[in-house]
């Protein structure tokens, strides 16, 4: 089983009430890969500059992520994002974005990346997502997106959505995309475009899963210490799709629910420290222990009185 | 087992994108009582004016609510609230409030109301809540409150909180009350005042329960048709405390979780139609069927692959 992810590989500068980092490894494909790498063989596709060196490759390869499809652009600089969070940590405020090599990104998949059974199209321009989807042989493909593409490339985004099995976006974006304020109706409208699963990410409130068979939701894992929310949504997607990719068969409803649980757990570890710091030294045992805690936390199944 | 609730009894004028009602029965004690009446004997304490007639009493008594402690003020008019909701139904905008007889309310509990084993102090001025608590013999007392009292009577509110077993307020109010943006920490700070349970209501995202033993959360029941959110929080509290009041013993952790489920279910029925319209003709069978649906929706307990 293997999983290909296409998306941004970045250096982030992040400031939160709990600390500052001037330059650390980030980007949606990175956070996704480090989470998914616990469950399956991950291949990451994306461009970096000459400033992306052995230390950064080592973080990815330390998790078993295959980096041979990372394109190192001669003379280029890696995508750079700078942002900060206020006291409540809920909203990322972007201070600077330098696309650098990411601005001219034309995804090229190797044969091995094309042949991965699972594909994740992280948040990039939807026409690029479609180009990647067209190259891929994946039997299960998912995408993330954002308000920018809903506002500037809605037709392309709807076409991209029609070509995947699963959409993972913020709940506000499910509403914005469909013009439907009721989330259950909005999710159904997304499924009407083609996907058989919609995951509405709800920040600290957790995430909701909509499928033709039904509804499932998980709260965010309760944490008293959150240091940096950057990458939480990508870590969620990595836990979710990584778990699904590791299965032998087509996912059924309970597989999708368990995948939601692993997504929730990976996102919770991600935010405990800055950037990739916590996930880099995370173990599968810690993941499984927190998954069991989460399962106990949401259970109504003990014998009622 | 019996439960006394003290709070507002009102006429509401409500406008939502799905309809308008010029004058309908409302108020926190009313929504609470109609929900709690499915589980336990409810006594409602609050003032009404001469405009509150047999039709309104009949709605309450039709659910078995004891109205003998409703004080009908000669020459008075009943508390009136007018509000509207925008397209997303998330925020109530108040257009007019006439306190009328509620402005001079001095709660007087009959012996039967004093002796109820469970007490709910709906959202009223916290010094009034304390007066009621001092009269009551309840072995389990809970209160609701709002941002107004946090801003204008914080010391009184903290004293009132120290005298109850459970607090049910919006999650934003848990944060505002404690000055702590992290919800888990904020809930712990509320428990440090005295209560052994904090329910953070989260609107469409559901509700979270914090106790010294742990954390539990439920999503809002997913509905494609929501007509009027007015009274959802009070219906939640009614389902929650009504269920607890109907138990023979002190509630344990699983009782509190099941109570969260009944709160979620009652809130979901409440918002399906305007005011008390849906709950008035609701049956216990419908409640139990939706509770089972909810339990299935949040389950991770089926055999994993």
């Amino acid at each position: 089983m293997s999983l290909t992810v296409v998306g941004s590989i970045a250096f982030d500068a992040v400031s939160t009430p709990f600390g500052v980092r001037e330059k650390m490894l980030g980007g949606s494909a990175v956070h996704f890969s480090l989470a998914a790498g616990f469950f399956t063989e991950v291949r990451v596709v994306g461009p970096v500059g000459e400033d992306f060196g052995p230390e950064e490759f080592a973080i990815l390869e330390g998790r078993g992520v295959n980096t041979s499809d990372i394109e190192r652009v001669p003379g280029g600089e890696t995508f750079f994002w700078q942002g900060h969070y206020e006291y409540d940590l809920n909203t990322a405020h972007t201070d600077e974005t330098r696309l650098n090599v990411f601005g001219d990104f034309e995804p090229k998949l190797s044969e091995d990346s094309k042949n991965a059974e699972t594909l994740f199209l992280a948040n990039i321009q939807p026409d690029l997502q479609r180009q990647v989807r067209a190259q891929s042989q994946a039997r299960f493909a998912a995408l993330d997106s954002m308000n920018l593409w809903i506002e500037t490339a809605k037709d392309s985004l709807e076409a991209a959505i029609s070509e995947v099995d699963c959409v993972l976006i913020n709940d506000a974006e499910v509403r914005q995309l469909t013009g439907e304020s009721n989330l259950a109706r909005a999710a159904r409208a997304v499924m009407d475009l083609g996907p058989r699963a919609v995951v509405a990410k709800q920040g600290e409130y957790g995430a909701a899963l909509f499928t033709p068979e039904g509804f499932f939701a998980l709260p965010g894992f309760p944490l008293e210490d959150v240091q940096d929310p950057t990458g939480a949504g990508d870590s969620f997607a990595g836990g979710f799709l990584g778990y699904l990719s590791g299965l032998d068969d087509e996912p059924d409803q309970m597989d999708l629910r368990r995948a939601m649980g692993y997504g929730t757990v990976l996102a919770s570890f991600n935010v405990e420290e800055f950037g990739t710091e916590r996930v880099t030294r995370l173990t599968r045992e810690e993941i499984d222990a927190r998954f069991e805690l989460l399962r106990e936390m949401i259970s109504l199944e003990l014998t009622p009185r």
Side-chain angles (χ1 to χ4, degrees), chain A:
Chain A
M1 297 297 124
S2 68
L3 189 168
T4 294
V5 51
V6 180
S8 65
I9 302 168
F11 286 117
D12 287 347
V14 174
S15 163
T16 84
F18 307 102
V20 175
R21 295 294 184 278
E22 297 293 346
K23 183 180 180 185
M24 61 182 179
L25 181 59
S28 58
V30 167
H31 285 286
F32 178 93
S33 297
L34 293 176
F38 285 100
F39 305 95
T40 190
E41 190 192 324
V42 180
R43 306 184 70 89
V44 57
V45 178
V48 299
E50 286 190 355
D51 52 347
F52 198 89
E55 197 183 329
E56 287 75 34
F57 279 106
I59 291 176
L60 290 163
E61 288 160 5
R63 175 66 60 227
V65 175
N66 186 311
T67 61
S68 59
D69 275 8
I70 291 182
E71 185 186 356
R72 199 151 174 272
V73 180
E77 275 193 86
T78 302
F79 177 52
F80 175 78
W81 178 78
Q82 179 162 2
H84 71 276
Y85 297 83
E86 307 284 358
Y87 186 58
D88 73 358
L89 295 176
N90 276 332
T91 311
H93 303 278
T94 293
D95 299 314
E96 188 178 356
T97 302
R98 284 186 252 139
L99 287 178
N100 297 333
V101 297
F102 202 62
D104 304 311
F105 179 40
E106 291 186 17
K108 289 176 284 292
L109 274 63
S110 65
E111 286 306 308
D112 284 340
S113 287
K114 289 177 185 172
N115 290 331
E117 295 87 356
T118 307
L119 173 68
F120 183 60
L121 304 163
N123 171 30
I124 56 177
Q125 207 281 341
D127 290 316
L128 289 184
Q129 292 180 318
R130 297 189 69 194
Q131 285 176 29
V132 175
R133 183 70 188 98
Q135 295 177 55
S136 163
Q137 304 294 321
R139 66 176 192 214
F140 193 91
L143 68 74
D144 187 8
S145 193
M146 70 186 295
N147 53 356
L148 173 67
W149 309 126
I150 297 172
E151 288 152 19
T152 63
K154 192 175 173 187
D155 290 348
S156 294
L157 178 56
E158 288 182 345
I161 288 173
S162 75
E163 293 160 4
V164 297
D165 305 283
C166 177
V167 171
L168 298 100
I169 55 180
N170 294 332
D171 65 340
E173 292 160 357
V174 181
R175 295 182 162 98
Q176 186 184 2
L177 175 67
T178 58
E180 173 59 71
S181 69
N182 178 288
L183 186 63
R185 283 174 181 266
R188 193 152 50 82
V190 175
M191 284 188 277
D192 286 345
L193 296 174
R196 52 189 154 120
V198 173
V199 176
K201 297 182 285 184
Q202 301 172 321
E204 67 167 311
Y205 296 113
L209 168 71
F210 296 86
T211 65
E213 295 79 36
F215 170 85
F216 177 68
L218 281 177
F221 190 87
L223 294 171
E224 293 210 356
D225 287 294
V226 174
Q227 300 242 325
D228 171 18
T230 309
D234 301 307
S235 300
F236 181 97
F240 180 86
L241 278 176
Y243 175 75
L244 294 180
S245 168
L247 301 175
D248 291 329
D249 301 314
E250 285 280 291
D252 65 17
Q253 180 71 15
M254 192 50 63
D255 293 327
L256 290 169
R257 290 182 175 202
R258 290 176 62 84
M260 292 278 290
Y262 284 108
T264 299
V265 166
L266 268 296
S268 76
F269 281 115
N270 180 84
V271 304
E272 285 185 342
E273 297 180 22
F274 276 77
T276 64
E277 292 168 10
R278 180 69 183 91
V279 175
T280 300
R281 62 168 208 283
L282 186 63
T283 67
R284 179 63 195 254
E285 291 66 35
E286 289 176 306
I287 292 170
D288 289 336
R290 187 168 286 185
F291 184 93
E292 287 309 311
L293 275 179
L294 177 67
R295 166 145 64 180
E296 194 283 324
M297 273 177 188
I298 63 154
S299 179
L300 266 176
E301 301 291 326
L302 302 189
T303 312
R305 296 220 300 226

